[in-house]
Amino acid sequence: EECGPEEWSVSADVVLAPLREALNACHPTVQKQVCDDIRRRLIVLEDAWAQGKLSAPVRKRMSLLVQELQQQHWDAADEIHRSLMVDHVNEVSQWLVGIKRLIAETRNLPAAK
């Protein structure tokens, strides 16, 4: 179905690819069960996105969150995560905790190149 110009359209991949990359980077140092949990939640996010269950503000904020993550602006990424939790809890509750964990674990990694 067509989306009007006011619709925030960003492909799921733009958001998910960097998150998966971050998860891969955590693998050597983070417990397997933690990685598995994060991966499961990323799949939930991906499905929700693919099925059009996420509103434009959530998609927009997730793409911003990923940009901050890629630039290693941990506090900014955390801020966005918190705002999503506050403003859109019903939409994000199933997977956002995985993103929070991913931010925390990525932040703890030995200095990323």
Side-chain angles (χ1 to χ4, degrees), residues 24-96:
N24 287 338
C26 292
H27 260 285
T29 50
V30 180
Q31 287 177 312
K32 182 180 185 308
Q33 69 201 62
V34 173
C35 289
D36 288 347
D37 184 62
I38 295 172
R39 181 176 299 105
R40 259 200 314 278
R41 293 178 191 280
L42 288 182
I43 291 168
V44 175
L45 165 58
E46 187 170 14
D47 289 347
W49 198 302
Q51 292 161 21
K53 289 182 181 168
L54 300 181
S55 62
V58 169
R59 296 198 304 271
K60 181 173 185 183
R61 281 193 213 177
M62 277 307 296
S63 66
L64 293 172
L65 187 154
V66 165
Q67 286 169 27
E68 300 295 3
L69 197 59
Q70 289 178 300
Q71 291 165 30
Q72 302 185 3
H73 297 160
W74 313 121
D75 293 336
D78 225 31
E79 259 324 291
I80 296 170
H81 153 268
R82 265 203 296 280
S83 74
L84 277 165
M85 213 50 191
V86 172
D87 298 341
H88 303 282
V89 66
N90 295 334
E91 272 184 82
V92 304
S93 59
Q94 286 194 304
W95 48 265
L96 194 63

